[in-house]
């Protein structure tokens, strides 16, 4: 891509964890003199997505916004609404083609989860296309190898009898870290992943919100043809992506944090779409209380947005009363990028969504990883290996088992007192900042993509 003022089309996917990195990338591109067109499908799943999108557009009136109507979702009332949306967006990707012909774009950026027909169409109209893998490079390696894994007629038996899953060029994956749905060729998630894994081979490059230092072996295996021999476009780390201006925090949590001692607070947030069971919420409450730590807990009980149940119904009035001097429980969206930057934060209890982990890496906040679904367990292993966090494997994956308050309290206490972990998390922060700053590896990659 060359010439002045490159014009980049960004095709958004669903869910805050997917949208936020795209918004960050859009902001970086704008601040580097690119024109940006955002393409979104209608309808959008959650209020949070609509609100953040509208705020971004209102703050950046120079950005163009194009919309298209997504095909109806598969009639599967039990499926996660975000997975249904990924599938519908992927099946609707041909409806984006006319929008991509409506201007002269210098590059197209679309999400791995929904890329569908976009890389091939971009090649037909001669526009470079970058597929944004929204997860760790490690999980991306698994996804890209999935068509080969599922071709194996013995995969069903391996799933039951083997503890490891081989992906060429990488250390074997723990079978227990891979959600069963991906290994069932009939499951919607596996069907989509296979289509997208094949489609993205036609892209100009794959970009990831990660950085070389964080996952060196994986980038090396991907880019030397060891994961997929000779067919994979270059995999380019561009993270951690810088924050962009978001709406002012509507909660009083930053003021509350201002009143807490330096590095004293446990921050608990399981992301925008991972609700916990009522029993697990109660055990989490006990764990926080028994650890004796100060805590900020963003509590979620529904997949989409917030439900109506009041806090006292979920946690009990006496818990809120007993902990009111030490803890703040919120059921609203907080500005996580500011929370994690706050000097009072000492530990982040996280579901290990990749956006949350890159934010923790960027700020050097140690992570107690408690993965719940999808890519989260593999992501947790990546940050554990890099020295940013710990993954208590005995807690299982998602709702496999109820983790009791005593175990949670003990782990929080252990990690709050772990000086080595704090130092290694600070090292991760230094490396993250080096990659993202002007002249750093990730920053230079973005500049190369836009031809500056
Ligand atoms: Br909740 C919440 N404030 O209160 P992940 C989330 N976020 O800023 P997810 C807030 O949403 P998957 C809140 O900073 C991160 O950028 C947070 O993304 C922000 O998890 C994003 O961590 C959440 O990737 O999706 O959305 O649960 O796990 O599928 O990536």
């Amino acid at each position: 891509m060359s010439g002045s003022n490159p014009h980049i089309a960004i095709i958004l996917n669903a869910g805050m964890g997917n949208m936020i990195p795209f918004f960050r990338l859009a902001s970086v591109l704008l601040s580097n003199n690119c024109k940006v067109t955002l393409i979104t499908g209608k309808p959008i799943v959650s209020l949070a997505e609509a609100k953040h999108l509208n705020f971004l557009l209102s703050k950046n009136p120079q950005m163009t916004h194009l919309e298209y109507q997504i095909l109806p979702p598969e009639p599967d009332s039990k499926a996660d609404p975000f997975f249904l949306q990924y599938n519908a967006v992927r099946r609707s990707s041909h409806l984006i083609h006319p929008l991509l012909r409506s201007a002269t774009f210098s590059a197209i950026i679309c999400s791995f989860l929904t890329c569908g027909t976009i890389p091939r169409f971009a090649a037909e109209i001669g526009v470079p296309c970058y597929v944004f893998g929204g997860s760790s490079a490690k999980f991306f390696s698994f996804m890209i190898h999935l068509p080969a894994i599922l071709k194996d007629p013995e995969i069903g038996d391996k799933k039951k009898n083997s503890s490891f899953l081989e992906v060429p060029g990488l250390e074997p994956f723990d079978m227990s870290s891979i959600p069963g749905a991906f290994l069932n060729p009939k499951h919607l998630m596996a069907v989509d992943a296979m289509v997208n894994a094949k489609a993205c081979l036609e892209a100009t490059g794959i970009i990831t919100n990660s950085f070389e230092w964080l996952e060196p072996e994986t980038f090396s295996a991907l880019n030397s043809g060891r994961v997929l021999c000779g067919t994979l476009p270059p995999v380019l780390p561009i993270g951690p992506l810088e924050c962009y201006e978001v709406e002012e925090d509507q909660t009083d949590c930053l003021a509350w944090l201002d009143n807490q001692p330096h590095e004293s607070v446990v921050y608990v947030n399981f992301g925008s779409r991972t609700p916990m069971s009522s029993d697990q919420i109660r055990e989490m409450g006990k764990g926080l209380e028994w650890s004796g730590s100060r805590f900020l807990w963003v509590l979620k009980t529904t997949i989409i947005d917030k439900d109506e149940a009041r806090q006292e119904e979920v946690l009990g009035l006496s818990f809120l009363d007993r902990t009111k001097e030490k803890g703040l429980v919120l059921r609203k969206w907080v500005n996580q990028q500011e929370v994690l930057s706050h000097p009072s934060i000492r530990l982040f209890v996280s579901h290990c969504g990749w956006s949350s982990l890159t934010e923790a890496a960027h700020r050097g906040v140690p992570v107690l990883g408690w993965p719940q679904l999808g890519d989260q367990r593999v992501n947790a292993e990546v940050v554990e290996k890099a020295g940013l966090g710990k993954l208590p494997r005995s807690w299982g994956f998602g709702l496999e088992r109820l983790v009791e308050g005593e175990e949670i309290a003990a782990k929080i206490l252990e990690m709050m007192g772990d000086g080595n972990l704090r130092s290694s998390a600070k090292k991760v922060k230094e490396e993250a900042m080096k990659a993202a700053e002007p002249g750093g590896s990730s920053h230079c990659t973005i500049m190369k993509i836009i031809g500056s």
Side-chain angles (χ1 to χ4, degrees):
M1 200 191 310
S2 62
S4 58
N5 295 100
H7 186 178
I8 318 286
I10 295 188
I11 305 171
L12 286 183
N13 182 9
M16 292 308 293
N18 287 309
M19 277 187 155
I20 287 176
F22 275 82
F23 291 167
R24 289 184 180 159
L25 181 57
S27 302
V28 173
L29 296 175
L30 282 180
S31 62
N32 283 285
N33 302 319
C34 293
K35 278 174 73 183
V36 172
T37 292
L38 278 190
I39 301 179
T40 60
K42 299 188 282 195
I44 251 174
V45 181
S46 68
L47 279 177
E49 293 162 83
K51 218 167 146 241
H52 280 74
L53 173 63
N54 288 340
F55 186 79
L56 180 82
L57 293 170
S58 69
K59 282 283 157 187
N60 298 286
Q62 72 279 38
M63 207 182 264
T64 307
H65 180 211
L66 302 176
E67 288 183 286
Y68 66 101
Q69 186 68 42
I70 301 169
L71 294 173
E74 290 287 343
D76 180 351
S77 56
K78 286 207 204 102
D80 177 314
F82 288 99
F83 295 147
L84 287 176
Q85 182 84 345
Y86 301 155
N87 172 267
V89 173
R90 197 265 296 159
R91 286 186 290 103
S92 310
S93 61
H94 61 287
L95 301 174
I96 305 171
H97 298 179
L99 303 181
L100 295 175
R101 281 198 194 276
S102 68
T104 307
F105 291 112
S106 337
I108 296 165
I109 298 178
C110 60
S111 162
F112 173 76
L113 287 175
T114 53
C115 64
T117 57
I118 302 297
R120 174 163 297 178
F121 179 71
E124 276 166 27
I125 58 173
V127 179
C129 174
Y130 294 87
V131 172
F132 196 161
S135 185
S136 54
K138 179 100 191 265
F139 195 76
F140 174 76
S141 310
F142 159 72
M143 297 277 263
I144 200 75
H145 196 61
L146 195 60
I149 294 173
L150 291 181
K151 231 195 261 163
D152 178 351
E154 286 168 21
I155 186 62
D157 293 336
K158 283 192 184 155
K159 201 165 87 180
K160 279 189 222 117
N161 305 326
S162 168
S163 354
F164 294 103
L165 187 73
E166 300 284 344
V167 170
L170 294 176
E171 270 175 35
F173 286 66
D174 247 323
M175 195 59 100
S176 59
S177 303
I178 304 294
F182 282 111
L183 300 179
N184 170 2
K186 293 203 177 93
H187 195 283
L188 202 61
M189 264 163 57
V191 171
D192 280 339
M194 282 197 292
V195 172
N196 293 324
K198 286 180 191 155
C200 80
L201 301 182
E202 299 188 54
T204 314
I206 313 289
I207 51 179
T208 71
N209 186 15
S210 185
F211 50 107
E212 188 85 39
W213 183 92
L214 190 66
E215 305 185 75
E217 295 93 0
T218 307
F219 283 114
S220 157
L222 284 165
N223 285 325
S224 61
R226 278 179 280 145
V227 177
L228 279 194
C229 184
T231 49
L232 186 64
V235 183
L236 310 165
I238 59 162
L241 284 161
E242 296 287 352
C243 299
Y244 66 104
E245 188 185 349
V246 294
E247 203 169 353
E248 211 177 301
D249 198 297
Q250 304 295 316
T251 72
D252 45 7
C253 79
L254 295 171
W256 184 84
L257 289 173
D258 286 343
N259 288 323
Q260 309 307 316
H262 186 70
E263 294 192 352
S264 67
V265 175
V266 183
Y267 168 55
V268 184
N269 190 334
F270 280 74
S272 61
R273 61 192 195 89
T274 308
M276 266 189 175
S277 69
S278 308
D279 287 345
Q280 192 59 77
I281 287 172
R282 275 188 285 278
E283 293 303 316
M284 182 81 224
K286 288 182 200 164
L288 287 167
E289 185 179 3
W290 293 344
S291 77
S293 308
R294 292 165 196 276
F295 62 87
L296 168 61
W297 182 7
V298 178
L299 179 59
K300 196 159 167 45
T301 49
T302 53
I303 293 181
I304 305 177
D305 299 319
K306 307 288 168 192
D307 70 350
E308 298 304 318
R310 296 211 320 261
Q311 204 149 283
E312 45 277 29
E313 288 161 19
V314 183
L315 280 166
L317 262 181
S318 65
F319 170 83
L320 295 170
D321 195 47
R322 287 195 310 276
T323 57
K324 66 176 183 283
E325 300 301 329
K326 285 204 154 174
L328 179 64
V329 183
L330 292 171
R331 309 200 61 207
K332 292 189 181 138
W333 186 266
V334 299
N335 185 339
Q336 179 162 296
Q337 57 196 34
E338 286 189 7
V339 169
L340 287 172
S341 308
H342 199 281
S344 65
I345 298 293
R346 171 106 162 220
L347 180 67
F348 180 16
V349 182
S350 170
H351 69 312
C352 299
W354 190 244
S355 293
S356 291
L357 293 180
T358 58
E359 289 157 12
H362 212 169
R363 287 156 189 82
V365 178
V367 174
L368 196 181
W370 193 350
Q372 302 292 312
L373 49 90
D375 58 346
Q376 295 163 6
R377 181 139 164 158
V378 172
N379 297 344
E381 289 163 0
V382 168
V383 294
E384 185 178 58
K385 190 163 182 203
L388 183 67
K390 294 264 162 74
L391 167 65
R393 286 173 174 70
S394 63
W395 291 11
F397 192 8
L399 301 175
E400 253 168 35
R401 59 165 285 230
L402 184 72
V403 182
E404 294 186 356
E406 287 91 341
E407 295 171 82
I408 299 170
K411 197 44 128 186
I412 289 176
L413 278 173
E414 176 198 316
M415 290 186 69
M416 292 288 272
D418 189 338
N420 289 339
L421 178 64
R422 259 206 325 282
S423 310
S424 57
K426 296 241 168 359
K427 169 74 180 154
V428 175
K429 173 182 173 171
E430 277 166 29
E431 296 295 338
M433 292 183 78
K434 255 196 245 166
E437 70 195 8
S441 54
S442 293
H443 187 265
C444 287
T445 302
I446 299 177
M447 293 303 108
K448 269 193 212 138
I449 289 172
I450 60 180
S452 300

